[in-house]
Amino acid sequence: MTPDPDTARRLRDGMARGVLSFPLTSFHDDGTLDPDGFRAHLATQLDRGPGAVFPACGTGEFFSLDEDEYRQVVTLAVQETGGRVPVVAGIGYGWAQAVRFARIAEEAGADALLVLPHYLVAAPQDGLVAQLEQIAARTRLPLIAYQRGQVAFGADAFRRITTIPGVIGLKDGHSDLDRLQRLTLAAPEDFLFFNGASTAEIQARAYATVGVPAYSSAVHAFAPEIAGAFFDALREGHEGDGLVEKLLRDFYVPLVELRDRVPGYAVSLVKAAARLRGHPVGPVRAPLTDPSDADLTDLRRLLTTGLDLVGATL
């Protein structure tokens, strides 16, 4: 199928303009989906001008959504966004299940798809290519591959995926800059790349040196003031006033240290921080767990520090 070529252009323009937003999926206290909470949360994200919105991805707990919930989340994202920025929905598992989610996203009006790492098993390079070929042949939406965990493309396999009709970009979560530099040099000129490392701001400057300045921001999901200030300072060359260094030293690095205390905190802490800001996102679903009281106290203190650095308040 032939995807809309305008989508890649819109994504490229958005990546140059702002961070990529990965909104949280809102749940009620009993664990059921909260559509109104999700809509309200997404509205706060859009108010801060992200380059694109990626609903139902890792931060949005794609792995815990059934197909009906997924449909609601993507539909709400498309409705709330109203065409202002591209909507890129997450899909995943094996290719057959990924295609089911892709068709739902198409029907909901998404602009593109982020192909999350496949489920459970390690796979050879030929299999990684075949996974994308199978999905691309069954959807009209452009695909962005996500290499992380068990998915890591070598140069030869990467060249092959860039020739698959509909594959327009790569999100990198490995932070192997040697490998990534080889891929950027092998890519077609118009191929999209962005930094998808956990707490991507930590490595934003390093990624930019190999030609990948765009990045996703989990911080944008709970403190778009901080995420936006960091993005602007980095892109506008405000290194001299020290804001980039201050935010890295006093907010981002401590956030990573807090995140690394417990498996799953890469999502749980983000959701807890959003709740501290008054966003109606609710708890995480199992197998994730919400942060302990002690970690919430540290999170509140850290969030207050970060907001103060950019002239905002909790």
Side-chain angles (χ1 to χ4, degrees):
M1 300 185 187
T2 303
D4 181 0
D6 188 53
T7 301
R9 179 194 60 77
R10 293 179 64 214
L11 280 166
R12 183 177 296 104
D13 291 347
M15 289 177 179
R17 186 178 63 250
V19 300
L20 304 177
S21 172
F22 283 66
L24 300 157
T25 298
S26 297
F27 299 121
H28 294 292
D29 288 342
D30 65 359
T32 57
L33 186 69
D34 179 4
D36 291 338
F38 176 72
R39 187 187 291 275
H41 168 64
L42 183 56
T44 65
Q45 299 294 288
L46 292 167
D47 285 346
R48 295 288 175 168
V53 169
F54 288 68
C57 293
T59 306
E61 297 179 77
F62 167 79
F63 48 84
S64 76
L65 300 176
D66 66 27
E67 291 183 11
D68 181 62
E69 292 169 332
Y70 177 85
R71 183 185 303 275
Q72 291 184 68
V73 168
V74 178
T75 299
L76 287 168
V78 171
Q79 291 174 349
E80 190 67 29
T81 301
R84 285 176 283 175
V85 296
V87 174
V88 184
I91 61 172
Y93 306 115
W95 68 259
Q97 188 66 21
V99 168
R100 290 177 64 91
F101 283 102
R103 288 172 178 159
I104 293 170
E106 282 187 32
E107 293 167 1
D111 297 292
L113 304 168
L114 178 66
V115 183
L116 302 168
H118 63 269
Y119 172 69
L120 189 62
V121 296
Q125 294 290 291
D126 286 349
L128 299 181
V129 175
Q131 166 90 339
L132 290 171
E133 289 175 335
Q134 294 286 353
I135 298 170
R138 292 166 172 82
T139 180
R140 62 175 178 78
L141 295 181
L143 305 179
I144 298 172
Y146 186 6
Q147 62 170 13
R148 185 175 185 149
Q150 70 268 36
V151 176
F153 295 102
D156 289 342
F158 175 74
R159 290 188 186 94
R160 290 166 62 191
I161 72 167
T162 66
T163 67
I164 298 172
V167 176
I168 63 171
L170 178 73
K171 176 183 180 182
D172 177 73
H174 282 296
S175 304
D176 182 341
L177 297 184
D178 178 279
R179 176 193 293 265
L180 187 58
Q181 180 70 90
R182 296 168 190 265
L183 300 189
T184 61
L185 293 172
E189 184 177 355
D190 59 351
F191 202 76
L192 302 174
F193 288 90
F194 68 93
N195 166 8
S198 295
T199 317
E201 286 90 342
I202 290 284
Q203 300 181 66
R205 289 186 294 189
Y207 268 80
T209 65
V210 296
V212 184
Y215 60 89
S216 59
S217 175
V219 171
H220 194 274
F222 63 86
E225 305 97 324
I226 297 174
F230 184 90
F231 180 90
D232 291 342
L234 196 62
R235 294 301 173 87
E236 295 171 11
H238 290 172
E239 302 278 358
D241 62 14
L243 181 58
V244 169
E245 295 294 336
K246 289 175 185 175
L247 285 170
L248 286 171
R249 181 181 60 248
D250 297 335
F251 175 74
Y252 283 104
V253 169
L255 179 64
V256 168
E257 292 171 349
L258 181 57
R259 181 199 72 200
D260 290 346
R261 289 182 187 176
V262 177
Y265 266 17
V267 176
S268 301
L269 276 182
V270 173
K271 217 164 195 185
R275 291 195 300 272
L276 288 174
R277 302 297 306 282
H279 297 191
V281 296
V284 292
R285 277 181 172 173
L288 302 180
T289 59
D290 288 311
S292 67
D293 289 343
D295 289 344
L296 282 175
T297 297
D298 290 342
L299 178 62
R300 179 185 290 273
R301 184 182 306 113
L302 179 57
L303 182 54
T304 299
T305 296
L307 291 168
D308 184 63
L309 285 172
V310 299
T313 59
L314 188 63

